[in-house]
Amino acid sequence: MPCGYCSQTAKKVLFLMMKIVVELALVGAIASVFIVAAQGRAAERAAEEAAGREYMRKLDELMAKAQNRRTLASWNYESNITNYNEEQMLQISLEVAEEQKEYWKETMSYLWHEYEDPDLKRMFKKYSELGTAALPEDLNQRLLTAISNMQSIYATATICDYKDRNKCDLHVEPDVTDIFANSEDPEELKYTWLEWHKAAGAPSRGNFTEYIQLDNEAAKLNGYDSVAEWWLSAYESDDSEDQFASLWSQVKPLYQQIHAYVRRQLREKYGENVVSARGPIPAHLLGNIWAQTWGNIEKFTRPYPNKPEVDVTSALIAQNYTALKMFQTAEEFFKSLNLSGMPDLFWERSIIEKPNDGRELVCHASAWDFYDGEDFRIKQCTTITSDFFFTTHHEMGHVEYYLQYKHQPIVYRGGANPGFHEAVGDVIALSVSTPKHLKIVGLLEDGPEDTESNINQLYKMGLDKIVFLPFAYLLDIFRYGVFRGTTTTRDYNCHFWRLRETLQGLEPPAPRSEDDFDPTAKYHVAADVEYMRYYVSYIVQFQFHRALCQLAGEYSPGDSDKILSACDIYRSQEAGEALGKMLQMGSSKPWPDAMEALTGQRNMDASGLLEYFEPLHEWLKRENERTGEYIGWEASNIEYCSDEQRMAMDEFGFNERLKKYAAL
């Protein structure tokens, strides 16, 4: 090979090598630029997140003060209903709304969608919803006034006594409630039902219509199509409504068996001209003004009437229980689990009995968090009954939740989903109501613990827990339809009773029309309180109960000596520790995380409830088959919809939607 050729080749190789070196250097330089830029962007993002974190800390302090002011004003009004306190509550609510609006504007200036810290993003997302403060001040004032008016109508409504028409000072608590608890006169019950709904329901129709319109406007300003979607967003799932319907399909067969059994018992007591063999049950005969629980008819419908009655009310009275002693007993249960006792301010500032100074107040039992980490209260017009004994444990469960998550930022001080808060107190009450626990605290003497006594106890529980489910479910299905416009103003009462008949198997005691407005005769509708939380709570409390009972060693599947319905977690440190860990999370994580932390499940499931009531379910099926009872109900003969309304329900798809909700 000639030497010149070698030299030429060497030059080419050298040139190529130099070119590669230059190109690599260029690539390296470009890469360095990108690396420096990326490092700069990472540093910039880290700085932005640090600024966002500091802003959240300051916003948390501001929101705590704002929430404290608003809650104090609400407490002052609800514990002493006067024009002055109402004006103060409205004024402070508006002032806080305007403050929130200013905070919201600053919140939305942060690029929180780009943050990497999931906790920081979650806080910003929660604060990115302004609530009703998104409304212009004049519209927000109208909304608050409409709700306040409904609350006031409900709280101050009075009716005349059936036996003494000159006595016209009967309130829902305790007067109407006591009549339904004790009277077995169908005419007195019918009269009282009609008068209460006339006094507390119909006058709120105009306020309710305005409230719907304005609340929907607020929902749209927060990015939702209607308040229905706004409320559902708290459950953090796109298919929440399908989940609710699926839960109902699980428990519906058990409800139908209880319904059939109770209908027969009522028919035998009042006659077939009052209660038909195959129709819905008249709503005024079930021991409760709303027919949401039926426990007050247990005394004459009990499966085994010759078995000794678990009469907690008589025991409370005989042992000189006071409201204070009830509250101290409830506190002791939580302390036995190594959870927190009630702080000193709780005892100083709570209202646990109806004041005798003549003031009007909202007697509906409620628990209050004043967002300062120190002030927690209950407002309850306690009387010495078993219902209030268990209600006291329930309300204190709310306060225990407040105490456990008080270390969380304000934005996380809430239940993992709305149903969790309601379930906590109830899961305690499941233990408290067992004969085992009642014996421990001295409210029940030793008695037989056999199959028949257990069926009686489960039946009594079923009249509270099972029959409540369709009521809790339909109350918000009704409001979803109103918020979405599929139930219009002209159809309020018709659609409400269509739902009650279809889901509950109940009918009104007399014909209804659109001159009536029965939904706001229920406090939670009048007070703008989302109600699906109660439906969810009555399902998940049995999931919680099953998990806690297994931790306490009180329940073992298949062991007849350790059945779920007899479990009492009192004094179990293991159960208390697990419950406390879940409560401490507040709403800092999506609810499936909180559910999993306690139960190992990530979904809401009615199997725990069905396990609890399985012996009763089997007994009811045998008993209803023995007596030939019709399961389900035929259409009501009581008119509550006009022919025109019934045609429209088919035409506009109401009945099709109803089939989905009712698991038909």
Side-chain angles (χ1 to χ4, degrees), residues 89-125:
M89 180 185 70
L90 292 173
Q91 181 60 38
I92 289 172
S93 293
L94 289 170
E95 289 173 6
V96 169
E98 289 305 302
E99 288 176 28
Q100 285 181 304
K101 197 173 293 186
E102 293 305 311
Y103 302 151
W104 175 79
K105 290 176 183 176
E106 187 172 357
T107 299
M108 298 308 288
S109 70
Y110 285 80
L111 301 175
W112 60 270
H113 287 283
E114 298 179 10
Y115 291 171
E116 293 183 355
D117 182 343
D119 183 60
L120 189 59
K121 287 178 74 172
R122 184 172 178 81
M123 284 192 280
F124 266 94
K125 184 177 188 302

Side-chain angles (χ1 to χ4, degrees), residues 422-431 541-542 544-545 548 569 579:
E422 298 301 329
V424 170
D426 273 1
V427 80
I428 299 301
L430 287 175
S431 285
Q541 67 185 250
F542 289 95
F544 297 167
H545 186 59
L548 292 169
I569 66 168
L579 180 60

Side-chain angles (χ1 to χ4, degrees), residues 241-249 468-478 480 499 503 531-532 534-535 660-663:
E241 286 180 276
D242 290 338
Q243 290 185 48
F244 300 154
S246 177
L247 292 171
W248 175 240
S249 70
F468 178 75
L469 288 168
F471 176 82
Y473 183 37
L474 71 85
L475 208 62
D476 273 1
I477 289 175
F478 167 74
Y480 293 166
L499 285 164
L503 286 162
Y531 210 73
M532 199 64 78
Y534 298 99
Y535 176 71
K660 172 189 171 184
Y661 289 130

Side-chain angles (χ1 to χ4, degrees), residues 315-316 319 321 435-445:
L316 291 167
Q319 296 182 34
Y321 264 74
K436 178 180 179 179
H437 184 78
L438 294 173
K439 289 175 185 176
I440 291 173
V441 297
L443 290 173
L444 181 65
E445 295 180 0

Side-chain angles (χ1 to χ4, degrees), residues 14 73 149 154 193 297 378 407 434 436 492:
L14 181 62
N149 287 346
Y154 181 93
W193 192 99
I297 66 166
I378 286 174
H407 65 284
T434 60
K436 178 180 179 179
Y492 282 163

